[in-house]
Amino acid sequence: MTIQLLVTDRNLNWLGDPLSDWTDLKCDLNFNKPAAGQVTLPAWPEHMELLQPGNRLVVIRDGAIWCAGPLEEPQDYTWDLESDADPGTVTVRFSDDLARIAGYLTYPNPAVAFGAQTTTSDARWIRRAVNAELIIRSLIEENCGPSALAARRIEQLVLDTVAGVGTLRSLTTRFEPLLDACRTAAAWNRLGFRTRQVGNEIRFGVYQPANRTGTARFSHGLGNLRRVAFTLGAPLATSELVQGGNDPKQQAPSGDPSNERVYVEVTSGAAADWYRVERLIEESGKDDTDGELTQAGTLALGTDNPQASLSTETVDTEDLQAGRDYDLGDRVTVVLPTGLEIADVVQTIRLTASPDEGELVTSVIGNSDKTTTTATVRTVRDLARRLGRLEAR
């Protein structure tokens, strides 16, 4: 095991020497949401000088960057007379560069500043002329990438090579969290997106997760399955009642077609097994010309349908390793102790390490978060509450 922790400024310039004498490292890489990590180390003056707002932490594992992104809590300092030696310890919490993107909203008109947006501005409407990947790339490019307003650009952020994935779609968005809009576009074809540091660039790219259900298998017998939890619950909704068209708060003359509302109902077959449950979804400013309202209802059912909530924790072995044999977003197979086989999505790949105990790589598979314990992950999950829409079965 070789792990190095280095600090850069926001322009990716290396600062100081690698952080030394760290005692505990945890780092979760997450599918289509920011990473969450923390490390504890002595609060030496040379460490504290580097752990400043605006700087980034880069985790290098065996010569390759495992995670790179901003310090979210640069200094959580403690000193205790009974247990801590001088100068005390500092815990640092960090993420990857998707956390920077998560702080943005989608402007109706990305070419002008917020103060120049108007109450009558249309939503940003990307017509069915490009595939889902290019929609996501456009959202990043115009809101925080190289083509964004100077005040909104993320330093060193560029678009990665086009992967050529996804089908032709349309998207309407207006002052929506940027990553939420990206997740909506990604869910159509179950695409993944991520940032990675390459040289002096932060590259944002879209990719198509692989179906590895035949080659990536986890079971007690194979020695790579540590924990399984399985629940089944009633649906939150069986009928998604999607309301689109013009915003009813916008006053228009009676009979004016611009004041018309559009209604679409999307149902599942779950009511036959359970009971009918209705939920209203507000999609003002959108119509169903390109199926956007229908798509919104379909995505909502991914969260609201009764689902077998599978939560598993796996461990790397010589025969099957994260990053080599499977990656975030890939579908893999879990063989339950009952003999039932379930295919589900790799949601998290977790690295834990300490100088005394070495390193351990585990994965969280399935749509439950029961095995997630990092406080930063809980915060991100609250901000990205619609992540459940990603599950496309």
Side-chain angles (χ1 to χ4, degrees), residues 3-7 14-15 17-20 22-25 38-41 50 57-60 94:
I3 293 180
Q4 273 192 317
L5 306 178
L6 298 111
V7 178
W14 300 107
L15 303 175
D17 296 324
L19 300 176
S20 59
W22 55 271
T23 57
D24 182 61
L25 170 68
Q38 67 179 45
V39 62
T40 301
L41 61 159
L50 296 175
L57 186 68
V58 181
V59 179
I60 299 178
F94 60 94

Side-chain angles (χ1 to χ4, degrees), residues 30-340:
N30 299 305
F31 181 52
N32 287 4
K33 64 177 182 177
Q38 67 179 45
V39 62
T40 301
L41 61 159
W44 302 119
E46 57 268 29
H47 288 166
M48 304 301 275
E49 182 179 359
L50 296 175
L51 302 175
Q52 298 296 323
N55 286 346
R56 302 166 65 255
L57 186 68
V58 181
V59 179
I60 299 178
R61 177 179 181 241
D62 294 334
I65 294 179
W66 175 271
C67 180
L71 301 177
E72 294 192 312
E73 292 183 18
Q75 298 182 13
D76 184 352
Y77 173 79
T78 61
W79 177 86
D80 185 275
L81 178 63
E82 300 296 328
S83 59
D84 288 336
D86 291 339
T89 61
V90 60
T91 297
V92 183
R93 296 179 180 86
F94 60 94
S95 185
D96 61 12
D97 291 301
L98 273 183
R100 294 284 307 273
I101 296 173
Y104 285 73
L105 301 179
T106 58
Y107 278 17
N109 183 356
V112 301
F114 178 77
Q117 308 289 328
T118 66
T119 57
T120 58
S121 292
D122 290 333
R124 178 70 175 97
W125 196 347
I126 304 176
R127 287 283 190 181
R128 191 188 293 265
V130 296
N131 63 24
E133 177 192 5
L134 296 184
I135 289 176
I136 297 171
R137 290 170 63 92
S138 294
L139 290 170
I140 299 300
E141 169 81 22
E142 64 193 21
N143 283 286
C144 61
S147 297
L149 297 173
R152 303 187 76 206
R153 290 177 201 152
I154 294 177
E155 298 86 355
Q156 311 305 119
L157 178 65
V158 299
L159 296 179
D160 212 336
T161 304
V162 174
V165 295
T167 56
L168 298 182
R169 294 288 178 176
S170 297
L171 179 75
T172 303
T173 181
R174 188 176 192 273
F175 295 129
E176 179 182 11
L178 179 53
L179 281 189
D180 280 1
C182 291
R183 291 186 188 101
T184 297
W188 292 327
N189 303 113
R190 206 176 62 79
L191 301 179
F193 52 82
R194 58 194 167 197
T195 57
R196 59 193 185 105
Q197 179 176 333
V198 180
N200 63 348
E201 295 179 334
I202 299 170
R203 297 184 184 178
F204 176 91
V206 182
Y207 66 100
Q208 179 71 69
N211 182 355
R212 303 192 187 278
T213 52
T215 58
R217 297 174 60 84
F218 300 90
S219 71
H220 175 68
L222 292 172
N224 55 14
L225 184 61
R226 296 180 57 173
R227 182 180 183 276
V228 174
F230 184 84
T231 61
L232 183 65
L236 299 177
T238 61
S239 293
E240 306 289 353
L241 310 179
V242 188
Q243 182 174 248
N246 194 28
D247 190 333
K249 291 187 254 184
Q250 297 289 337
Q251 298 299 316
S254 177
D256 187 333
S258 66
N259 201 35
E260 292 181 358
R261 302 290 278 162
V262 181
Y263 302 93
V264 173
E265 179 177 355
V266 181
T267 62
S268 71
D273 295 326
W274 296 85
Y275 35 76
R276 182 179 176 89
V277 183
E278 300 174 343
R279 185 165 78 94
L280 181 66
I281 300 177
E282 178 58 54
E283 295 285 343
S284 294
K286 301 180 183 180
D287 59 37
D288 207 40
T289 303
D290 289 324
E292 286 189 79
L293 300 185
T294 301
Q295 184 67 45
T298 302
L299 293 176
L301 284 177
T303 299
D304 295 339
N305 267 341
Q307 295 185 37
S309 178
L310 172 68
S311 167
T312 73
E313 186 171 309
T314 71
V315 62
D316 268 10
T317 64
E318 288 297 323
D319 296 327
L320 189 61
Q321 296 184 13
R324 186 191 71 184
D325 304 306
Y326 67 93
D327 216 327
L328 289 171
D330 289 352
R331 293 184 71 83
V332 298
T333 298
V334 177
V335 183
L336 303 180
T338 61
L340 177 67

